[in-house]
Amino acid sequence: MTGIGAPPGTGIDLDNCADEPIHIPGQIQPHGALLAFDHGGALRSWSANAAELLGFAPVLNQHVSRLPLEGPVLVQLRECIDESGADGCTRTAIETTMAGQVFDCIVHSDAFRVIAEFEQRDIRSDTVATFALKAHTAIERLKRQKTIGALLQLAVKQVRAITGFDRVMAYRFRHDDSGDVIGEARDPSLKPFLGMRYPASDIPAQARRLYTINTLRLIADIGYTPVALVGAPGDPPLDLSHAVLRSVSPIHVEYLQNMGVAASMSVSIVVNGRLWGLIACHHQTPLRVPYSIRMACDVMAQVLAATVQSLDARERATLVEQAADVRTHLIETLLQEDDVLAALEHHAADLAATLGADALVFAQQGRVLVHGGLSHEAATAIVASLPADGEEVLQRCSRAEWPAASGAAIGPWVGLLGLHFDPATGGWLLALRREQVETIRWGGKPEKLLRTGPLGHRLTPRGSFDEWVESVTDKAEPWDAGRLLVAEQLLAEMHRASMTRHAEMERARMQLLAMLGHDLRDPLQSITMAATVLQHGAQPQQLGQRIQRSSGRMQRLISQVLDMSRLDSGLGLALRKEATDLSRMVEDLVDEARLAHPGTLYETAVAPGVTARVDADRMAQVISNLLSNARHHGTGGHPVLVALREEAGTIVIEVRNHGAAIAPELEAQLFNPFKRMALQNRANRTGMGLGLYIAFNIVQGHGGTLSYRHEAPHVVFTVRFPATDGAA
């Protein structure tokens, strides 16, 4: 006969504990015995204490039917053997008596073995039943809790009441697998651990796996001497993943001894297949909790998990519903608004709330808009750090994840969730979070120590669990799964809106080219005809004027297209600002309009001596466009009214003409570069509708606004910009 499993305590320390085969330890705890059968019912291995505890000597390959076990145990074993296979049979427990001792017999199987564990019980059945009734009452109360905090605090109180542990804590694991103690019930003599955090290294990966598949584990006496498993030579190690008597890692035993714990029980809270939290129970002396009471605690944990999942699902459903409403309104605006960044800015507050962001940055074609408390300089540095290609969803949660060149420039904004909604135009929606300057109360300093421990000179578990405070900077709270789902849904809708916009823009460009060809044909034909007539000896003065007017018209059309092209490509209009006498400029432009169009009456209200830093040529272009629109669209026989004034450092220019209000559907497209609203008016058949779009951008480049309103009976266009240099 040989030992079955890993040799006890051989070379395991914190350097290699992540690879420790804790599911095949080859040992069990001594407060019970174990028998293991193959799927034919033959006994293949057992614990070395089986003869002493069970009152008979196991024999290799002895059939289960020939063992001196009570009838209910044999029936359960036969059923489990019949059901055994790849999926195994579920764990069941039966009370039985062996050698005058009461045991809980727990039967279960896996793909290779059927296992019977006989766990000693020293509490009467009626007492166990009383505790089980208390557990049932506790479960009903758990279902009624409305918050996770209240749920876990009630759970630890109830678990302590039915098990008798000195301390019961509820951990909630964070994104980095560290755990916060958010619920605690304890003996008053013990110092509190509530609010402390324990590092992820306290629970290695393979231990987390076992916590997920075997949700309850008891160590009745930390100072126990393990009992070896023996069996047939050559048999594979016995997998004790689901065993209740499984011996635990010597590293974990040492960890608990360092905490001053003599008995321990853990109950896993598994949500959606992930270890969400843990109920950890500690006692200062050995404590054996009967199996049925432990199962009641396990059921409580399942109710906990279901309630957590329900609360989480309710919270996520609310978030998704709110996000869908925000998304619907945003897409409606995006499809109607010409300026994508303006549309995003209009919904910025709702977007920030939906994405859980402290600030937002919108960027496209070199333009950057900011919503929230960060500076324009920081926003520019953030945009500059973005990759040209790559993931459509970009996440950064610490300063170390940013390019070195931008690490300092971004200030406290170390958390980034970037949505690349329009790669063709460099369109980004950036959700930002400030660094979470946090004081963490660790349950002991989370580090490895090199010293001589019970297993020799090696890295050992933490020896102190006194509170250790750490200040954490340069890290932001990561976006959780719910927010990421909302972000992905938003990105998908924005992609579709961008594709729609690009299709419309392409159609509009084709229309523009067609219109440009049409609008250039007339002046070009006029010039050609004039040149032909000149060749036949006609008077040159009149024909020269016609050529000048036609070529001027062509130059204006081409200049507008070039301006639009610069704006559309993000190059801007390259303004050259200098001190300018605006009063004189407006008077001169109105005088020119009077001479060129003697049939139109102009009236002015120009304040004298109004000056500002502007690009004089571009501002004259704005005013000329407004005068031209007023002339073309105004009702005949009524004057065009032009006003200039300064109000508290703001320059105000108004151009009014007598006319009906612009229809709402046309008003929404008023500053759209791709329109032909002029064609709706018989008096204006030659323009492409680019003037207002270019004028709008010129005024915006001066840090100002160009707006429309109707004050019956007048159509009013108003320009406002700072008297000083107002460039954005």
Side-chain angles (χ1 to χ4, degrees), residues 313-345:
R314 190 182 311 156
E315 180 180 332
R316 184 172 297 190
T318 301
L319 175 62
V320 169
E321 182 179 348
Q322 292 172 345
D325 186 57
V326 171
R327 194 166 61 247
T328 298
H329 288 92
L330 171 64
I331 299 306
E332 287 177 356
T333 306
L334 282 174
L335 294 176
Q336 295 174 5
E337 174 65 57
D338 301 318
D339 189 336
V340 173
L341 299 193
L344 289 171
E345 190 175 32

Side-chain angles (χ1 to χ4, degrees), residues 14 53 55 83 93 220 314 343 460 478 490 578 608 617 646 648 667 691 696:
L14 288 185
L53 290 185
E83 296 173 7
R314 190 182 311 156
T460 64
L490 175 62
E578 58 186 5
D617 291 338
E646 182 175 352
E667 182 182 347
F696 178 86

Side-chain angles (χ1 to χ4, degrees), residues 226-294:
V227 176
L229 297 177
V230 295
D235 277 5
L238 191 61
D239 188 342
L240 297 181
S241 295
H242 295 277
V244 298
L245 293 172
R246 175 177 59 86
S247 187
V248 297
S249 164
I251 292 291
H252 186 62
V253 169
E254 188 177 346
Y255 176 89
L256 292 173
Q257 288 173 336
N258 289 346
M259 291 190 77
V261 173
S264 168
M265 186 177 82
S266 62
V267 190
S268 306
I269 305 172
V270 180
V271 178
N272 293 325
R274 177 179 172 271
L275 187 62
W276 181 92
L278 193 69
I279 295 177
C281 309
H282 294 162
H283 208 62
Q284 293 177 287
T285 58
L287 179 66
R288 195 181 303 163
V289 179
Y291 180 78
S292 56
I293 294 178
R294 302 203 309 270

Side-chain angles (χ1 to χ4, degrees), residues 18-37:
D19 301 320
E20 183 185 2
I22 59 176
H23 62 299
I24 50 170
Q27 301 169 325
I28 65 168
Q29 299 177 55
H31 62 280
L34 181 147
L35 305 174
F37 305 87

Side-chain angles (χ1 to χ4, degrees), residues 375-396:
S375 67
H376 195 270
E377 290 75 16
T380 302
I382 289 169
V383 173
S385 77
L386 300 174
D389 302 310
E391 300 277 340
E392 291 184 335
V393 178
L394 176 66
Q395 281 194 76
R396 294 170 182 165

Side-chain angles (χ1 to χ4, degrees), residues 94 98 107 146 208 217 227 327 329 438 461 511 593 602 639 647:
I94 307 166
M98 302 287 292
V107 178
K146 303 299 183 185
R208 289 179 180 275
R217 185 219 57 199
V227 176
R327 194 166 61 247
H329 288 92
E438 186 179 16
Q511 182 183 6
Y602 292 91
E647 297 176 347

